[in-house]
Amino acid sequence: MKIEYFGVSNCGPHRSINQDSFFLNDKLYYNPSKISLTSKKTVSNFDRTLFAIADGMGGHNAGEEASQFVLGRMVERLKFEADLKIQNYRPLQRMIYELNTELNELGQKIREPTAGTTLSGVVTLDGNLVCFHVGDSRVYHYIGNKLEQITVDHCYATESGDKRHRNYLTSCVGGGTREIKIEIIDLVDKITSGSVLLLMTDGVTEVMEDDEFSDILIDSTDPKRFCQICIQETLIRDPTDNVTVVALRVS
């Protein structure tokens, strides 16, 4: 399996700090300033490869520190988790639970007890892809002109139907919470050659609709082109949050 990928993050017009981070293959991308982050267009065919986004939250400096910390710790743990296999996802779930504890401890240490982050992405295992998800960042799958949201937003609006409280998360990594919801989704039966996976923070999905993502992909499934167009369209619509999008194309 080969994965071509690209990612872009932007602070957005209304934020002074970018609390989003993303990890692609072998590199962590983060920059709390207003400078736009752009990954290199690359192809990966390695096992235990991580592609993930994290949308940080908390007080001054806490959000960006939380998102960087969780992604950095996760990739280190993946290297040494011998029991993690396509038939056994428990180590991945346990890993995220432990990251929750570690981030809470970090929050206490830096005197930012509400430091937390969403965490969504995929990891390659035994030549297949497994999705993991906490929070309201999203993972989509596109194939055959059909777009499907794989993850479910862990937020009050989704669970109650009250759209006024869309930004109230019901689960995150850290944030001073002990119990978190963790989705682990086997993508073995979904992913085929030509599949595209999209990872997005809520700064993008609050202003763009799913059919607009499909329209961009119908024109071209090139990951770099999708990310560039999606970020441009998002910024035109004056988002209130940081915006990050990652696209992966499987061959």
Side-chain angles (χ1 to χ4, degrees):
M1 177 175 62
K2 292 185 178 181
I3 300 175
E4 184 180 3
Y5 58 87
F6 197 80
V8 181
S9 183
N10 188 282
C11 189
H14 298 288
R15 297 293 179 98
S16 59
I17 295 174
N18 190 350
Q19 297 185 318
D20 290 358
S21 302
F22 61 99
F23 193 98
L24 301 182
N25 186 13
D26 59 357
K27 185 174 180 180
L28 175 61
Y29 294 86
Y30 65 91
N31 190 329
S33 73
K34 278 187 169 287
I35 298 173
S36 218
L37 294 173
T38 305
S39 75
K40 294 181 179 179
K41 185 179 178 183
T42 314
V43 172
S44 168
N45 58 358
F46 302 105
D47 201 25
R48 291 290 183 96
T49 305
L50 178 66
F51 302 93
I53 56 174
D55 180 356
M57 64 199 79
H60 180 65
N61 293 333
E64 63 270 27
E65 195 160 345
S67 63
Q68 295 165 32
F69 175 81
V70 165
L71 291 179
R73 289 289 293 142
M74 186 170 188
V75 73
E76 286 300 316
R77 282 174 167 269
L78 283 171
K79 294 177 183 177
F80 302 106
E81 187 54 76
D83 295 333
L84 181 56
K85 299 179 181 179
I86 196 66
Q87 301 90 354
N88 181 17
Y89 308 135
R90 289 183 181 178
L92 181 58
Q93 191 170 40
R94 184 183 69 245
M95 184 189 308
I96 297 173
Y97 273 119
E98 291 172 353
L99 288 173
N100 182 65
T101 300
E102 290 182 27
L103 183 53
N104 282 330
E105 291 173 351
L106 175 66
Q108 293 295 331
K109 185 176 181 179
I110 64 174
R111 297 183 180 181
E112 293 287 357
T114 61
T117 183
T118 69
L119 177 65
S120 300
V122 294
V123 61
T124 60
L125 292 175
D126 305 325
N128 294 291
L129 284 166
V130 176
C131 174
F132 54 89
H133 169 67
V134 182
D136 66 349
S137 296
R138 293 181 180 177
V139 180
Y140 291 90
H141 175 237
Y142 177 86
I143 189 71
N145 295 340
K146 293 182 179 179
L147 184 73
E148 175 191 5
Q149 183 180 334
I150 296 173
T151 56
V152 176
D153 296 348
H154 295 157
C155 65
Y156 187 75
T158 298
E159 297 176 10
S160 69
D162 188 343
K163 302 302 181 183
R164 295 173 299 174
H165 301 295
R166 186 183 183 281
N167 294 326
Y168 291 6
L169 293 184
T170 56
S171 184
C172 69
V173 182
T177 60
R178 292 184 179 181
E179 297 298 325
I180 61 173
K181 303 172 188 176
I182 303 172
E183 285 185 70
I184 306 293
I185 306 162
D186 187 341
L187 300 180
V188 171
D189 295 331
K190 288 185 177 292
I191 303 301
T192 62
S193 183
S195 285
V196 177
L197 289 169
L198 308 175
L199 318 179
M200 301 181 191
T201 57
D202 67 331
V204 179
T205 57
E206 73 173 3
V207 296
M208 290 193 68
E209 300 294 334
D210 291 2
D211 58 356
E212 295 176 292
F213 304 141
S214 294
D215 289 342
I216 299 171
L217 289 166
I218 288 171
D219 181 56
S220 172
T221 59
D222 176 67
K224 182 176 181 179
R225 177 176 170 80
F226 176 85
C227 289
Q228 290 175 333
I229 294 175
C230 189
I231 287 290
Q232 289 172 358
E233 288 294 325
T234 299
L235 293 175
I236 288 171
R237 297 161 199 227
D238 201 32
T240 60
D241 203 352
N242 308 139
V243 294
T244 300
V245 59
V246 168
L248 319 173
R249 182 169 61 186
V250 178
S251 61

